């Protein structure tokens, strides 16, 4: 209740103080969810998350207060000075874990449960991105494009040597946020589409990981016998996260590259496309470990699927949507 209420407060506010209150409520609501397992690593993740989010919210409040002191206005839609806009944008980047202020994010996800990591990777992105959307006419475009490219590069390269699936998904999220930030700088409506598809693909992947208890790369080779159909759809979802056509994940990347080329930023579009290759490599590596390193089937593993039949009801339709939405592209272009 606290998470949903605080996000709605941020999304419906046009006053900086109200938005700050929503962000603080959002942070305080998620802390018990991170520490609920009682593990020391979960406690450490909770403290890291609290310090980072409190720092970013304090920076937003300080900058908004200084702006109100100078202009007498607390409204988000009024014109802001370049320094104010840049500082608030950097604070929001810290909340979103964009490079180069991303180091806390993989550690927090690794110390959380898979479902909590899912929530941090999806729901917790909505409130900060709402503030960026409300400020889109005043955003420092060059800084956003540069940080977007940096995030796409670091999210891909840093995820190459990871062995924990939650850390791999954390760096995947950083790379996707880089693409989304590039879209936000050019076309906010395209950023909303990219966010929606990102949430869909990430939710489907995390739910699959949770259902099959895949926590490390070594777990991937023993999951095929649990449910071959589920694992096949999970593999397609990983390819979709990598942006391979004709899957859904190709749709936002295609539109973002088209938008960049239309605004004569072909060099940046080329760099972003190249930056997505390392991410694609570690998705392909995960599918290789799932499909091509299956150990010899003993009686226990062969019939393992009989004793683990619970699959969330929302998982199959989400897995299908991560593979089948590309044909709606002509409708999106026409609108």
């Amino acid at each position: 209740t606290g998470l949903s209420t605080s996000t709605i407060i941020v999304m419906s506010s046009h006053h900086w103080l109200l938005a700050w209150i929503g962000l603080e409520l959002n942070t305080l609501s998620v802390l018990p969810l991170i520490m609920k397992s009682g593990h020391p690593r979960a406690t450490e993740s909770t403290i890291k998350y609290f310090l980072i989010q409190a720092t970013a919210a304090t920076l937003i409040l300080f900058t908004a207060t200084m702006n109100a002191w100078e202009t007498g206005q607390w409204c988000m839609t009024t014109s802001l000075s370049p320094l104010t806009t840049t500082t608030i944008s950097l604070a929001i980047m810290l909340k979103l874990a964009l490079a180069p202020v991303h180091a806390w994010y993989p550690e927090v996800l690794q110390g959380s449960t898979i479902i909590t990591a899912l929530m941090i990777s999806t729901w917790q992105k909505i409130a900060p991105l709402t503030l960026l959307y409300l400020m889109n006419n005043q955003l420092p475009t060059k800084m956003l494009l540069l940080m977007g490219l940096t995030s796409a590069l670091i999210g891909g390269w840093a995820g190459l040597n990871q062995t924990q699936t939650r850390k791999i998904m954390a760096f995947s999220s950083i790379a996707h946020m880089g693409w989304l930030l590039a879209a936000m700088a050019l076309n906010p409506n395209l950023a909303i589409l990219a966010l929606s598809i990102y949430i869909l693909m990430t939710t489907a992947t995390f739910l699959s990981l949770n259902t099959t208890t895949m926590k490390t790369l070594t777990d991937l080779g023993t999951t095929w016998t649990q449910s071959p159909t589920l694992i096949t759809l999970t593999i397609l979802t990983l390819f979709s996260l990598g942006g391979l056509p004709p899957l859904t994940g190709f749709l936002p990347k295609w539109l973002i590259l088209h938008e960049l080329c239309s605004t004569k930023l072909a060099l940046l579009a080329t760099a972003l496309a190249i930056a997505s290759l390392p991410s694609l490599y570690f998705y392909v590596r995960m599918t290789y470990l799932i499909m091509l390193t299956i150990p010899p089937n003993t009686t226990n593993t062969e019939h393992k699927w009989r004793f683990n039949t619970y699959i969330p009801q929302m998982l199959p339709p989400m897995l299908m949507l991560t593979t089948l939405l590309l044909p709606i592209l002509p409708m999106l272009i026409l609108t």
Side-chain angles (χ1 to χ4, degrees):
T1 305
L3 275 176
S4 56
T5 304
S6 57
T7 305
I8 291 169
I9 288 174
V10 175
M11 294 178 71
S12 59
S13 63
H14 288 275
H15 192 286
W16 279 114
L17 193 58
L18 190 61
W20 173 78
I21 291 172
L23 291 173
E24 285 296 290
L25 286 174
N26 193 265
T27 301
L28 293 175
S29 299
V30 80
L31 294 179
L33 299 176
I34 301 176
M35 71 170 69
K36 68 180 179 181
S37 65
H39 194 276
R41 189 182 287 271
T43 307
E44 179 187 344
S45 297
T46 307
I47 294 171
K48 288 178 180 177
Y49 188 81
F50 170 73
L51 291 175
I52 292 295
Q53 299 296 316
T55 302
T58 304
L59 193 56
I60 290 174
L61 179 63
F62 172 74
T63 310
T65 306
M66 294 298 293
N67 182 69
W69 191 8
E70 292 177 3
T71 63
Q73 295 289 332
W74 281 94
C75 186
M76 294 182 189
T77 54
T78 56
S79 59
L80 304 172
S81 66
L83 178 61
T84 301
T85 308
T86 304
T87 309
I88 291 180
S89 298
L90 286 173
I92 294 174
M93 306 307 166
L94 181 59
K95 277 187 166 291
L96 290 171
L98 281 151
V101 284
H102 66 284
W104 63 272
Y105 188 62
E107 300 300 324
V108 169
L109 256 61
Q110 180 59 29
S112 311
T113 62
I114 291 181
I115 297 300
T116 307
L118 163 63
M119 183 195 59
I120 296 172
S121 299
T122 54
W123 185 266
Q124 293 299 94
K125 306 288 187 186
I126 297 175
L129 286 170
T130 301
L131 296 182
L132 282 182
Y133 187 85
L134 291 171
M135 296 168 55
N136 73 306
N137 291 327
Q138 308 173 62
L139 290 175
T141 305
K142 291 182 180 178
M143 187 189 81
L144 258 63
L145 291 173
L146 180 61
M147 290 191 74
L149 177 59
T150 307
S151 298
L153 284 167
I154 290 181
W157 285 107
L160 288 176
N161 62 343
Q162 300 301 325
T163 58
Q164 304 287 328
T165 53
R166 278 168 289 185
K167 281 194 174 183
I168 289 174
M169 292 304 297
F171 286 110
S172 165
S173 175
I174 292 169
H176 277 91
M177 284 296 113
W179 281 83
L180 199 146
L181 201 64
M184 183 69 74
L186 301 174
N187 187 343
N189 294 327
L190 178 56
I192 292 177
L193 173 67
L195 176 65
S196 303
I197 294 178
Y198 160 77
I199 289 176
L200 173 69
M201 295 187 298
T202 305
T203 303
T205 306
F206 268 112
L207 288 178
S208 298
L209 295 177
N210 187 57
T211 303
T212 55
T213 61
M214 290 189 285
K215 295 182 179 179
T216 65
L217 291 183
T218 54
D219 296 334
L220 301 181
T222 60
T223 54
W224 181 264
T225 51
Q226 289 188 33
S227 175
T229 307
L230 172 63
I231 300 303
T232 302
L233 288 173
T234 303
I235 288 169
L236 290 175
T237 305
L238 289 172
F239 283 142
S240 185
L241 272 172
L244 285 181
L247 304 173
T248 304
F250 181 61
L251 175 62
K253 291 189 176 182
W254 188 1
L255 291 175
I256 291 170
L257 292 177
H258 178 267
E259 190 75 23
L260 286 168
C261 292
S262 300
T263 50
K264 298 181 180 179
L265 293 171
L267 188 61
L268 179 62
T270 305
L272 268 177
I274 293 173
S276 66
L277 293 178
S279 299
L280 179 61
Y281 171 79
F282 60 70
Y283 296 131
V284 172
R285 182 179 63 175
M286 290 176 71
T287 60
Y288 169 79
L289 291 172
I290 291 173
M291 294 187 66
L292 300 178
T293 59
I294 303 173
N297 282 330
T298 63
T299 305
N300 291 333
T301 59
E302 199 170 76
H303 302 285
K304 192 174 180 182
W305 60 272
R306 294 183 182 177
F307 308 106
N308 188 16
T309 56
Y310 175 72
I311 295 176
Q313 292 183 354
M314 62 185 294
L315 181 55
M318 294 193 77
L319 288 170
M320 295 301 293
L321 287 175
T322 59
T323 59
L324 299 176
L325 287 184
L326 187 62
I328 69 170
L329 178 62
M331 181 182 68
L332 295 174
I333 293 177
L334 289 175
T335 54

